[in-house]
């Protein structure tokens, strides 16, 4: 990979022979429509199935999921979300099917751009930023074809396009292989959870209400956007580490203190039932923490057990508008009673798995950053 990059010398690309083309010359807009209720096609892809900054489609639906006219798409076409272009959704079609009418279906013009390079061109900052600039509307800004087709872009000669496409696809292949390794690690994680926590009717189980107490978070009397104090620990902050609001010292008494050792449960919302470890700060009102009150169980053992039970907890949430966790459901879950030595062995296994997951996630992130950098250097 590094040898290929050096051979092409992206940092010193000679663009003196590059030419400018209107987008309508670069790609054709496919406008063939299909009625989902009258088609034999089996695949539907909506914008909800596309991931930001990902050229691959990883989820699909079926035509029965939707109503109204949809766009026909063919293998090799590109689906580009024309609503909310800032979400950067553009992916390669690998099926015969239909897609959302809130998207454009583009087909590369091979006389102007190598179809292998076209997906990366659509993900370039040059293209995406232009799409945001020409979007119109307030709540759901949308791109009009009449504005897009006249936009001009600089492209390399066809022979050079093939070399650049080969480099970018090689980098994409690295990312895909890394994702496969991560998926294998996650599969092993699930396998181990099932192995240690599967509900064996013959095992001795202790109800959680005998082992933990549940304390609900609450919104402090004062929250500020910055300054002295400790973070207000929302689920978003716990996942990303990005501080959204601060609890100032004068409001400490009105808040629920947590540490990075606390087991937390997301109490309400669409992800109610999700398990998280705490961080130093004060607990958001949408969450609760579990305090271990038994010396016979290790906190990390209980945490991994609850990870295994997350789907059961989510399915048992109550409320329609805003689902929330039923505390009684958690309290009545039976956890297998294992010797502390075995609990430590189980914890060690999951620590190793989590370490491998973290390493591979970091590798993927680094590779994705490199790919973005390469695309930026090209376009």
């Amino acid at each position: 990979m590094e040898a290929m990059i050096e051979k092409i010398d992206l940092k010193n690309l000679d663009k003196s022979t590059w030419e400018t083309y209107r987008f309508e010359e670069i790609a054709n807009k496919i406008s063939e429509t299909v009625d989902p209720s009258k088609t034999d096609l089996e695949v539907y892809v909506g914008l909800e199935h596309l991931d930001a900054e990902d050229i691959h489609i990883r989820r699909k639906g079926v035509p029965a999921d939707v109503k109204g006219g949809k766009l026909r798409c063919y293998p090799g076409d590109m689906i580009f979300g024309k609503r909310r272009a800032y979400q950067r959704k553009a992916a390669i079609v690998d099926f015969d099917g239909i897609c959302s009418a809130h998207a454009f279906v583009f087909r590369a013009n091979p006389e102007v751009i190598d179809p292998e390079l076209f997906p990366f061109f659509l993900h370039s900052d040059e293209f995406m930023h232009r799409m945001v600039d020409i979007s119109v509307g307030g709540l759901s800004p949308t791109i009009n074809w009449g504005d897009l087709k006249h936009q001009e872009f600089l492209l390399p000669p066809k022979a050079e396009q093939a070399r650049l496409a080969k480099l970018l696809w090689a980098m994409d292949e690295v990312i895909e292989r890394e994702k496969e390794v991560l998926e294998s690690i996650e599969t092993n994680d699930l396998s181990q959870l099932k192995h240690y926590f599967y509900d064996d009717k013959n095992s001795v189980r202790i109800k959680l209400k005998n082992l933990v107490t549940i304390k609900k978070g609450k919104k402090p009397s004062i929250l500020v956007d910055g300054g002295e104090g400790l973070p207000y620990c929302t689920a978003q902050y716990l996942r990303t580490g990005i501080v959204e609001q601060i609890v100032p010292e004068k409001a400490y008494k009105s808040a629920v203190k947590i540490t990075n050792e606390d087991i937390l449960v997301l109490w309400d919302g669409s992800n109610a039932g999700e398990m998280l470890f705490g961080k130093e700060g004060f607990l958001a009102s949408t969450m609760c923490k579990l305090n271990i009150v038994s010396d016979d169980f290790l906190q990390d053992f209980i945490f991994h057990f609850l990870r295994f039970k997350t789907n059961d907890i989510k399915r048992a949430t109550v409320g329609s508008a805003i689902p929330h966790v039923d505390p009684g459901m958690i309290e009545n879950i039976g956890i297998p009673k294992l010797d502390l030595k075995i609990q430590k062995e189980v914890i060690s296994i999951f620590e190793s798995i989590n370490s491998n997951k973290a390493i591979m996630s970091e590798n993927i992130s680094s590779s994705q950053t490199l790919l973005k950098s390469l695309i930026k250097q090209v376009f």
Side-chain angles (χ1 to χ4, degrees):
M1 175 62 69
E2 290 181 359
M4 189 183 299
I5 293 173
E6 290 177 3
K7 185 176 181 180
I8 296 179
D9 191 13
L10 291 177
K11 293 182 179 179
N12 296 292
L13 281 176
D14 178 10
K15 298 188 178 183
S16 62
T17 59
W18 292 30
E19 296 184 32
T20 298
Y21 297 90
R22 297 188 307 278
F23 188 75
E24 64 181 343
E25 298 174 302
I26 297 171
N28 299 310
K29 180 173 73 74
I30 308 305
S31 301
E32 182 181 346
T33 59
V34 175
D35 183 339
S37 65
K38 299 178 181 178
T39 182
D40 293 329
L41 296 167
E42 298 180 349
V43 180
Y44 165 76
V45 168
L47 298 186
E48 68 275 12
H49 297 117
L50 306 184
D51 294 321
E53 302 189 75
D54 192 341
I55 63 173
H56 300 285
I57 297 172
R58 304 186 188 276
R59 300 178 304 282
K60 299 181 178 74
V62 295
D65 294 337
V66 291
K67 298 178 181 179
K70 304 301 173 189
L71 294 174
R72 179 74 163 88
C73 49
Y74 298 84
D77 289 343
M78 290 290 297
I79 298 174
F80 179 84
K82 64 181 179 180
R83 282 192 173 181
R84 302 183 179 92
Y86 56 83
Q87 294 181 339
R88 300 176 73 110
K89 292 187 174 184
I92 305 168
V93 176
D94 60 355
F95 57 89
D96 282 298
I98 61 176
C99 71
S100 170
H102 296 312
F104 286 125
V105 176
F106 294 139
R107 187 171 299 159
N109 176 5
E111 299 297 319
V112 174
I113 190 168
D114 189 322
E116 294 293 301
L117 185 62
F118 185 56
F120 300 105
F121 165 73
L122 292 184
H123 274 279
S124 67
D125 285 348
E126 174 69 20
F127 183 79
M128 287 292 188
H129 291 168
R130 195 86 63 86
M131 296 306 98
V132 172
D133 290 342
I134 66 173
S135 296
V136 294
L139 294 176
S140 184
T142 302
I143 301 165
N144 295 320
W145 173 246
D147 296 323
L148 170 53
K149 67 181 181 181
H150 298 302
Q151 299 298 310
E152 296 184 341
F153 300 93
L154 191 65
L155 296 179
K158 286 295 298 300
E160 192 169 358
Q161 288 183 26
R163 292 194 306 132
L164 293 170
K166 184 177 180 181
L167 166 64
L168 296 175
W169 276 111
M171 191 68 242
D172 179 78
E173 179 68 16
V174 169
I175 295 170
E176 291 304 296
R177 297 291 77 79
E178 289 173 338
K179 287 184 175 181
E180 287 179 2
V181 173
L182 178 59
E183 184 177 348
S184 176
I185 295 170
E186 291 173 338
T187 299
N188 182 39
D189 180 38
L190 180 60
S191 176
Q192 294 294 339
L193 286 172
K194 289 179 178 178
H195 174 72
Y196 287 106
F197 298 126
Y198 184 74
D199 191 6
D200 181 356
K201 302 301 182 183
N202 296 319
S203 65
V204 177
R205 291 188 169 246
I206 309 296
K207 288 190 176 182
L208 281 178
K209 65 182 177 182
N210 298 314
L211 310 176
V212 304
T213 59
I214 299 175
K215 182 161 186 153
K216 185 95 161 51
K218 59 182 179 179
K219 192 170 184 178
S221 56
I222 303 172
L223 282 172
V224 294
D225 293 333
E228 297 294 325
L230 289 173
Y232 183 54
C233 298
T234 62
Q236 181 73 6
Y237 166 65
L238 294 170
R239 295 189 196 105
T240 67
I242 299 174
V243 178
E244 298 168 289
Q245 289 183 299
I246 296 289
V247 181
E249 187 172 355
K250 58 185 175 182
Y252 283 6
K253 290 183 179 180
S254 65
V256 176
K257 184 79 165 56
I258 60 170
T259 71
N260 55 11
E261 296 181 351
D262 284 320
I263 297 175
L264 308 178
V265 183
L266 186 55
W267 203 248
D268 49 38
S270 58
N271 289 317
E274 179 182 356
M275 301 293 158
L276 294 162
F277 263 123
K279 294 182 186 292
E280 194 76 18
F282 292 95
L283 190 60
S285 59
T286 56
M287 308 189 75
C288 70
K289 73 172 182 175
L290 306 183
N291 295 315
I292 313 301
V293 295
S294 170
D295 294 331
D296 294 328
F297 284 84
L298 299 174
Q299 179 165 281
D300 285 1
F301 182 78
I302 291 178
F303 175 78
H304 290 300
F305 170 72
L306 288 173
R307 282 204 303 125
F308 175 66
K309 285 292 185 178
T310 294
N311 287 336
D312 290 340
I313 294 171
K314 287 183 174 181
R315 282 194 292 268
T317 54
V318 295
S320 53
I322 302 179
H324 59 273
V325 173
D326 176 6
M329 189 275 178
I330 293 181
E331 291 174 339
N332 284 298
I333 294 176
I335 184 170
K337 188 178 187 305
L338 300 180
D339 183 81
L340 286 175
K341 181 181 178 181
I342 298 176
Q343 290 185 39
K344 290 177 181 178
E345 292 173 356
V346 172
I347 292 168
S348 178
I349 289 171
F350 287 115
E351 284 178 345
S352 176
I353 291 174
N354 287 338
S355 176
N356 290 335
K357 279 201 286 187
I359 291 170
M360 190 49 57
S361 295
E362 180 62 29
N363 289 347
I364 292 171
S365 179
S366 296
S367 296
Q368 289 173 329
T369 298
L370 176 56
L371 178 57
K372 288 177 66 176
S373 175
L374 296 177
I375 295 173
K376 188 172 184 177
Q377 290 179 61
V378 171
F379 296 108

